[in-house]
Amino acid sequence: MFRGVLRVNPHRYQIPRFSAITSSSQRTFVTGKTTAKPKRSRRRKIGYAVGTATLIGTFSYLITQDYLFLQEAKGAHEQVPFLALHPERGGVKNLPVVTHQLDDLAQDEGKPRLVIIGSGWGAVSVLRNLDKDKFNVTIISPNNYFLFTPLLPSVCVGTNEPRSLLEPIRKIAARVRGHFLEAQAIDVDIENKMIEVKSMRLMANDNETEGKAEHFYVPYDQLVLAVGATSITHGVQGLNHTHQLKTVQDAMAIRRKVMENVEKACLPTTTPEQRKQLLSFVVCGGGPTGVEFSAEIFDWINEDLVKWFPKLLREDVSVTIIQSRDHILNQMDVHISEFAESRFKRENINVVTNARVVRIEDNNVVYKYKSNGDNEEDLHSIPYGLCLWSTGIAMTPFVQSLSEKLGIQNHQRVLLTDEFLRVKGVPDMSIFAVGDCATIENPKLIEHIEEIFENSDKNKDGRLNTEEFNDVIAYIKRKFPLTRQHCEKLERAFEKYDLDHSGTIEIQELAKFLRDIDKKVTQLPATAQVASQQGEYLAKYLTNRTNNPFIYKHLGTLAYLGNTAVGEFTWGYKMIGGLYSMYLWRSVYWSEQVSMRTRMNLSLDWTKQALFGRDLSIV
């Protein structure tokens, strides 16, 4: 019999136990001794602490910013300048002159006024690179967003959504504390340095119910024109029956037209002839836009139409490209053009080259081959349900008006600028132009032959030796930047132009050298790449960070061909097909986005398209 309670020393007898860690390398069987629980590493603890602090800090910052913006908005009416609410009238037409803006709460009167007309690649590039403390910036554009134009063809069939290509211009302009006016530039008063603009929203009148668009002046010290261009007509009649692809509204209208035609083709009352016409897509122009639109249509047909629509529609669909040159994508290497043509041929996309569109009728595109001259009997006709007009560029009415006012502008399609992007003919050189609306005037080296020869003939013996000939090339590259890429190819051409094998270059031989360069120098292409580089250069030029002329650095050209892509790059590499090329093409355009928001939207669009297909609804 036990007297009292049996007491056991818990430290003397230990019960065997397993650790809670399931990993075989960390499982511990303990007998007779205590073993400490595995401790979390110091690095992991620090990582968790930093992560937690970052999340809390970010969340707190966002809440604080919203609160601060709300506090700043209180009482803002008392801080707005009087002239912003009641602008004075002036100018030739006695219109309101907007010297102050509604968001000019702290305008620096000492800063010059920089006005940017447009919201495309050139304008956005200026805003992203401009010194934010040097100017009072005002942006004028009928669109309150930046549009990523290279991906417009993908919107036409629902591969990407329109919003994925748009970034509000106000968010971009906030970097330089810029003011945005949704208005359209009408005219430039060069003498008084004011721009006449028209508001894009109808203003209600007291005595009228319809309303009217108000006109007003915006003064400037420096003016940047980045208004883009319109499509050239080439005198072809019937363009009112076609679609263009320059704006997001164009892409949405094409998408709606494509879906409407397909749905009409599914109706039992539609005849076979009507069905073929509805499903005929004709593209006038074999450049990147026309080719990529054709490729997107081809993708949509093979990946979505065959799944969700009657199968017989597939056999009635036709895509035709009419190109005036020898090849489509003629600005690229000939091997790339031939690859694109052969791929389209395999996929039954009809490519008509060396042909010119004569007229566009209500339901037919009439064209003829160039080799037939003016023979009207050799006309060909293609019925269409949708016709895309995608040819060259021409001046907008605003640019046309300015060109006529300046007088010395003699180009039919764009404004001419000097090598510093200053519009020629403006007395104080205060107007600049970038992008599709302008081009740098091509130099005629042969007209400067005496200047070039005398500058390089160091010993004044009337001939150039090898060293002096190299000085000629260096001088031309420095003074005429557009010739740079052509001069670099001729740096070792001394023997080629030493026609009499005298060991020197005489002035007659130099003349041949200059004429050869003149033949090769062309205008800069109307691409987003050119406009972006010009905007970046101009921002540095305006802030006195460079005194050098603009030099375009061609990085390469890409084109989508339907689940593959082609491209050529400046270092000599040519990308011709292959599945990887599509992802490289997407990666380049993804990286060129102006915000992380649009990058995320593009990623979601491509993911949704791969998993669920394209949206087939009509809105």
Side-chain angles (χ1 to χ4, degrees), residues 399-457:
V399 174
Q400 179 71 42
S401 173
L402 178 59
S403 176
E404 294 172 355
K405 182 178 295 187
L406 293 175
I408 70 168
Q409 294 280 334
N410 55 14
H411 202 286
Q412 299 299 317
R413 301 185 183 181
V414 289
L415 289 171
L416 292 176
T417 71
D418 62 11
E419 63 272 23
F420 297 99
L421 307 182
R422 300 174 297 199
V423 176
K424 299 183 74 67
V426 179
D428 62 352
M429 297 182 292
S430 61
I431 301 180
F432 303 83
V434 298
D436 295 356
C437 69
T439 189
I440 299 175
E441 186 175 27
N442 283 342
K444 292 296 182 183
L445 298 183
I446 193 65
E447 298 175 0
H448 301 270
I449 184 170
E450 293 184 2
E451 170 194 346
I452 294 171
F453 192 88
E454 291 178 3
N455 181 77
S456 302
D457 187 13

Side-chain angles (χ1 to χ4, degrees), residues 80-81 84 98-105 107 138 179-181 218:
V80 175
V98 182
T99 57
H100 295 71
Q101 305 286 347
L102 292 178
D103 50 355
D104 253 338
L105 303 184
Q107 185 185 38
T138 300
H179 318 289
F180 174 74
L181 300 175
V218 177

